[in-house]
């Protein structure tokens, strides 16, 4: 079945360091891909998304490119801040379920940014 | 505009009891999805409702059920609680059907502890 695999955390970085969180997926066809972020004590917030191959999603300095050939959607940010400390989830909606609210999530990666 | 509201925020129950969780979507949103979040299994899709109809269901036993009212508010019910049902239950709403190309807005969740 469809699945999402993320790099295990926690990832600990110093402020202004470069961030990469790896995400790969298994799915048939062309799923839609997402990154969600969860701050402590809060629900998930959509960070960015890409709905077709080679699309680049971007928001708040974060970027991810939909790579069909490598089935990947890695999250990157050039310079992280302490306020970016959170849990990041990679997710997909299968192409067959594109009109539903069903998301398949990775396990989440905890990011800790130290001043 | 108020966000997705979930009540109660915390709940403690004992094995064998049943529980009802409530979710009020963002005003105007007609689609509501439910997810279970646990440290071991991560985020898993429970079900989705749109216009009072269940549109999609995840792989959970029949003890998990839900419904949606004409005002789009949704409830989920878990009967005969088991220890493994302890989790954060998240509700998400969207303006129309589909997470594929539309944004899901998550509530802060209901933390259920089964003793």
């Amino acid at each position: 079945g469809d699945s999402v695999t993320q790099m295990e955390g926690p990832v600990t970085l110093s402020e202004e360091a470069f961030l990469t969180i790896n995400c790969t997926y298994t799915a048939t066809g062309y799923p839609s891909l997402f990154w969600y972020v969860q701050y402590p004590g809060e629900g998930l917030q959509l960070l960015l998304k890409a709905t077709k191959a080679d699309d680049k999603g971007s928001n708040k300095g974060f970027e991810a490119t939909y790579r069909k050939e490598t089935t990947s959607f890695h999250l990157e940010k050039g310079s992280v801040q302490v306020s970016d400390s959170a849990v990041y989830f990679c997710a997909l909606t299968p192409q067959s379920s594109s009109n539903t609210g069903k998301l398949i999530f990775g396990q989440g990666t905890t990011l800790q940014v130290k001043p | 505009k108020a966000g997705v509201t979930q009540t109660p925020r915390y709940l403690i129950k004992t094995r064998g009891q049943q529980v009802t969780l409530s979710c009020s979507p963002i005003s105007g949103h007609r689609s509501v999805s439910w997810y279970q979040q646990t440290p071991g299994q991560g985020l898993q899709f429970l079900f989705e409702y749109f216009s009072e109809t269940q549109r999609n269901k995840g792989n959970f036993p029949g003890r998990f059920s839900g419904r949606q009212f004409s005002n789009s508010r949704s409830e989920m019910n878990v009967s005969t609680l088991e220890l493994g049902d302890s989790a954060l239950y998240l509700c998400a709403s969207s303006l129309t059907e589909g997470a594929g190309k539309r944004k899901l807005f998550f509530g802060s969740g209901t933390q259920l502890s089964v003793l």
Side-chain angles (χ1 to χ4, degrees):
Chain A
D2 298 333
S3 65
V4 176
T5 303
Q6 290 181 235
M7 62 187 289
E8 290 190 21
V11 174
T12 303
L13 297 172
S14 297
E15 206 165 23
E16 299 184 2
F18 184 86
L19 168 71
T20 299
I21 300 178
N22 291 336
C23 170
T24 56
Y25 68 89
T26 300
T28 55
Y30 291 84
S32 295
L33 302 175
F34 307 83
W35 278 100
Y36 278 82
V37 58
Q38 187 175 33
Y39 297 101
E42 299 183 15
L44 280 72
Q45 301 175 25
L46 178 64
L47 184 59
L48 53 85
K49 66 179 181 181
T51 57
K52 59 182 187 291
D54 299 325
D55 265 2
K56 177 184 282 188
S58 61
N59 186 26
K60 300 181 182 178
F62 292 90
E63 293 182 341
T65 301
Y66 189 144
R67 300 290 188 197
K68 177 68 173 172
E69 63 276 12
T70 55
T71 61
S72 65
F73 193 55
H74 305 321
L75 182 68
E76 296 182 336
K77 186 175 186 183
S79 176
V80 294
Q81 305 300 313
V82 172
S83 57
D84 293 327
S85 298
V87 182
Y88 292 81
F89 292 91
C90 185
L92 69 81
T93 295
Q95 183 177 6
S96 61
S97 303
S98 62
N99 287 327
T100 78
K102 178 178 181 179
L103 286 166
I104 296 171
F105 286 92
Q107 287 294 100
T109 301
T110 299
L111 170 65
Q112 298 173 337
V113 180
K114 297 186 175 181
Chain B
K1 193 181 242 188
V4 177
T5 303
Q6 292 188 247
T7 56
R9 185 70 178 92
Y10 300 96
L11 206 49
I12 300 175
K13 292 286 187 180
T14 56
R15 280 182 300 173
Q17 287 187 310
Q18 76 164 21
V19 66
T20 299
L21 311 181
S22 179
C23 172
S24 294
I26 292 172
S27 177
H29 285 197
R30 297 169 61 192
S31 173
V32 173
S33 304
W34 288 88
Y35 288 81
Q36 181 195 65
Q37 186 176 20
T38 60
Q41 298 298 317
L43 279 153
Q44 294 184 286
F45 173 78
L46 279 156
F47 30 63
E48 177 192 16
Y49 288 87
F50 181 80
S51 294
E52 302 178 64
T53 302
Q54 188 179 88
R55 304 306 290 262
N56 208 352
K57 191 177 191 306
N59 295 323
F60 279 83
R63 299 185 297 107
F64 292 81
S65 63
R67 59 178 177 169
Q68 187 180 32
F69 302 95
S70 58
N71 62 358
S72 294
R73 189 177 71 85
S74 178
E75 289 181 346
M76 68 162 282
N77 185 76
V78 188
S79 62
T80 320
L81 284 166
E82 300 177 359
L83 296 178
D85 297 333
S86 295
L88 179 66
Y89 290 88
L90 292 167
C91 167
S93 75
S94 64
L95 190 59
T96 57
E97 291 178 274
K101 298 179 180 179
R102 298 175 182 85
K103 186 175 180 178
L104 289 185
F105 294 82
F106 282 82
S108 298
T110 293
Q111 183 67 54
L112 172 64
S113 298
V114 182
L115 305 178

